[in-house]
Amino acid sequence: MRILVTGGAGFIGSEFVRSVLSADAKSGITVLDKITYSGVEENLAPVARHPGYTFVRGDICDTDTVDAVMPGHDAVVHFAAESHVDRSIDGAAPFAETNMVGTQVLLDAARRHGVGRFVHVSTDEVYGSISRGSWTEESPLAPNSPYSASKAGSDLLALACHRTHGQDVVVTRCSNNYGCHQFPEKVIPLFTTRLIEGKKVPLYGDGGNVRDWLHVSDHCRAIELVLRGGRAGEVYHIGGGREITNKELTGMLLEAAGHGWEMVQQVPDRRGHDRRYSLDITKIQRELGYRPRISFAEGLAATVAWYRDNRAWWEPLKARAALS
Ligand code: NAD
């Protein structure tokens, strides 16, 4: 199978590309990535010599580029997105453009060129916030941030292509990911790198917001299951790592770094901050046999160690993005 992977130089996309290519000498992947502030082509260095690997720098919103790249692929796995909620609060335009227009350009081109399966990678944030219980794939969408609204819009565009054109589209919605190569603006690498630098970490509000954390490799394995066995026109939840509050997470990161609570600075809450996310993952377990493999304690320890050992990866990124 030859797969077009959009956003393959980012955190999750690069894990997907590395894992598919390193498992199979015969598979082929073309990465289409604009290399925005969060894209890092060196994330793909371990597979750069794989005979089936091709890298194209380009924008998913540009129809000519997408039309040139699309032919010859059997499937699209679509990761490319503007992905950081705080940035979407500062300015929503790139989120509407990349997440919605870019998705529409890709869907149309895939149809035009007769590409089969289209896996649209999305997020639990499209459902908004839930105080008790868990969302099923039938729960209504109620996004609260410009990021999640733009992802919800792209999910609906993808599903509409199945209903209107019979296109072979599948949507995945995953909980919060963590692991190595995550851009250091997201909470786990942000807190970890700040503690390594001896700086305080900014905790939003009362720290009571609950997130389900899933290791990026469990997410990518689930995407492969959906790519090969998911039913067209369906949504699949991916999650089941561990639900914890941001305060509990902060405590674990402080302990890993050998620091106490004096390193925490409470900051005003994020505008529109969702209180809790929770996904019911029964469907993917029952239909595709998915189970997360990496415990949060084990995965978090490995992630913190990776950031400790790879300052040369994140220091230039922080400088480039003017992150303190
Ligand atoms: P990321 O920001 O690390 O990577 C995004 C990648 O997309 C980058 O390589 C960037 O250069 C590329 N990109 C951005 N705009 C582009 C454009 N116009 N054209 C081509 N490439 C472009 O993001 P991530 O955390 O790896 O997230 C990947 C996908 O997974 C996103 O769709 C996101 O919504 C979804 N997701 C993320 C999480 C999470 O916890 N990180 C959870 C669930 C779903």
Side-chain angles (χ1 to χ4, degrees):
M1 188 189 272
R2 179 138 203 110
I3 312 168
L4 175 62
V5 176
T6 71
F11 164 48
I12 306 172
S14 68
E15 168 73 22
F16 180 81
V17 174
R18 289 190 305 269
S19 97
V20 169
L21 290 182
S22 52
D24 184 359
K26 291 207 184 77
S27 51
I29 286 184
T30 305
V31 171
L32 174 61
D33 198 301
K34 185 177 172 183
I35 307 292
T36 64
Y37 78 94
S38 72
V40 182
E41 198 181 338
E42 297 76 49
N43 288 350
L44 296 162
V47 291
R49 288 170 192 276
H50 188 288
Y53 170 77
T54 306
F55 181 84
V56 178
R57 185 168 186 173
D59 190 338
I60 58 164
C61 301
D62 179 27
T63 307
D64 291 343
T65 301
V66 172
D67 262 333
V69 173
M70 189 66 73
H73 293 92
D74 306 299
V76 176
V77 181
H78 174 35
F79 293 98
E82 287 292 335
S83 67
H84 191 44
V85 175
D86 288 341
R87 285 179 188 259
S88 79
I89 294 168
D90 293 341
F95 288 76
E97 177 74 7
T98 290
N99 299 0
M100 293 203 285
V101 176
T103 300
Q104 173 250 312
V105 167
L106 287 166
L107 286 161
D108 290 353
R111 222 169 42 250
R112 241 186 339 269
H113 294 283
V115 174
R117 173 125 294 193
F118 190 111
V119 180
H120 174 66
V121 178
S122 191
T123 164
D124 58 2
E125 301 192 27
V126 296
Y127 296 113
S129 189
I130 189 167
S131 48
R132 255 175 287 114
S134 301
W135 293 298
T136 70
E137 284 82 354
E138 276 72 46
S139 297
L141 305 188
N144 289 316
S145 73
Y147 162 67
S148 53
S150 67
K151 291 297 290 186
S154 64
D155 290 16
L156 296 177
L157 283 168
L159 292 168
C161 282
H162 172 71
R163 290 185 196 122
T164 306
H165 304 291
Q167 197 166 349
D168 182 1
V169 170
V170 197
V171 173
T172 61
R173 294 189 181 132
C174 188
S175 57
N176 277 38
N177 283 214
Y178 71 98
C180 58
H181 298 102
Q182 186 169 31
F183 195 82
E185 66 188 353
K186 304 279 169 55
V187 64
I188 289 180
L190 177 72
F191 281 22
T192 302
T193 56
R194 285 185 68 89
L195 291 170
I196 291 169
E197 293 171 314
K199 295 177 182 165
K200 289 190 175 189
V201 297
L203 181 63
Y204 277 136
D206 66 359
N209 305 70
V210 175
R211 299 293 181 262
D212 169 32
W213 289 99
L214 185 72
H215 194 268
V216 64
S217 65
D218 279 326
H219 184 189
C220 290
R221 201 163 35 77
I223 290 172
E224 273 202 80
L225 290 173
V226 170
L227 170 67
R228 291 171 206 285
R231 287 182 292 129
E234 294 292 320
V235 175
Y236 290 90
H237 285 172
I238 304 169
R242 166 113 177 261
E243 272 186 35
I244 53 168
T245 65
N246 285 346
K247 200 167 178 183
E248 287 170 307
L249 172 66
T250 303
M252 291 173 84
L253 293 172
L254 288 171
E255 196 183 325
H259 285 295
W261 284 91
E262 71 284 356
M263 293 300 278
V264 177
Q265 185 181 7
Q266 230 139 0
V267 297
D269 209 353
R270 171 191 271 169
R271 275 173 282 162
H273 204 177
D274 291 325
R275 192 68 178 169
R276 176 171 174 261
Y277 300 139
S278 182
L279 290 176
D280 180 333
I281 60 163
T282 310
K283 182 174 174 180
I284 192 168
Q285 288 180 317
R286 198 183 52 231
E287 286 189 24
L288 301 174
Y290 163 76
R291 296 272 180 289
R293 286 182 185 156
I294 300 183
S295 75
F296 189 59
E298 174 198 353
L300 194 67
T303 301
V304 169
W306 188 86
Y307 281 91
R308 207 179 287 132
D309 295 343
N310 287 277
R311 287 182 84 125
W313 182 86
W314 55 264
E315 278 177 338
L317 293 182
K318 277 190 134 176
R320 196 170 85 190
L323 288 172
S324 61

